[in-house]
Amino acid sequence: RRNSLFAIVLSMILMSSLVFDSCASKPDNLESFLKSNEDVKADIDAAAESAGMTVEVKGNDVIYTYDLSTIDGVTEDMLKDEAMINTLQSSLDSMESTFVDTCKKLEEETGFTGIKIIVNFTYGDEVLVTQTFTSGGKA
């Protein structure tokens, strides 16, 4: 799963840098950029979908949601167990440097400040674990 998250984030960086190089005028934020560049948004969505996640961009927030209810054999009771919650949190903690570096890179390449990556592990509509990352670390 880590590689999937990393691949999504990395593809977003690479695509945004390629398109930004060809843009004549710069949008106000990441969301505006993606609205005016549907091909990039479609690529990001496809990468997220292939990893079993959804991605949404609001302003300068990139929100990844992984709905664990879509995994065969996983039950709500399993996921709400304290040990499982701790495991999910630990997996996010272990990826902190990846997400922080991605925020930094996105800010450098786009010129936008305050970019956040928000990762949610959910079961259906219920958020089990969430973590926000900025270029300065966990928020």
Side-chain angles (χ1 to χ4, degrees):
R1 299 271 177 233
R2 280 188 196 157
N3 291 338
S4 297
L5 284 171
F6 183 72
I8 292 167
V9 173
L10 188 57
S11 68
M12 184 175 172
I13 292 169
L14 294 174
M15 289 185 212
S16 67
S17 65
L18 290 173
V19 176
F20 263 106
D21 289 343
S22 64
C23 287
S25 63
K26 190 172 159 189
D28 295 337
N29 57 39
L30 221 46
E31 181 179 12
S32 297
F33 166 76
L34 291 175
K35 283 183 180 177
S36 63
N37 294 280
E38 288 298 319
D39 291 342
V40 175
K41 176 71 169 119
D43 289 341
I44 292 168
D45 288 343
E49 185 177 324
S50 71
M53 304 180 81
T54 59
V55 64
E56 183 178 7
V57 179
K58 292 182 178 180
N60 284 331
D61 295 350
V62 181
I63 305 161
Y64 292 104
T65 302
Y66 187 66
D67 184 358
L68 300 173
S69 71
T70 62
I71 300 173
D72 288 337
V74 173
T75 66
E76 187 173 7
D77 288 339
M78 290 169 60
L79 293 172
K80 289 186 176 180
D81 179 73
E82 187 176 338
M84 180 58 78
I85 297 293
N86 290 337
T87 300
L88 293 172
Q89 185 62 54
S90 292
S91 71
L92 287 176
D93 292 343
S94 71
M95 294 196 61
E96 179 178 0
S97 64
T98 300
F99 290 119
V100 168
D101 290 345
T102 301
C103 287
K104 288 178 185 176
K105 184 115 174 127
L106 282 170
E107 287 181 350
E108 288 169 10
E109 290 185 6
T110 64
F112 302 139
T113 57
I115 291 178
K116 296 177 193 169
I117 294 176
I118 302 163
V119 182
N120 297 309
F121 286 109
T122 65
Y123 190 87
D125 291 335
E126 183 178 354
V127 176
L128 303 171
V129 176
T130 186
Q131 185 65 61
T132 301
F133 302 91
T134 69
S135 59
K138 287 193 279 186

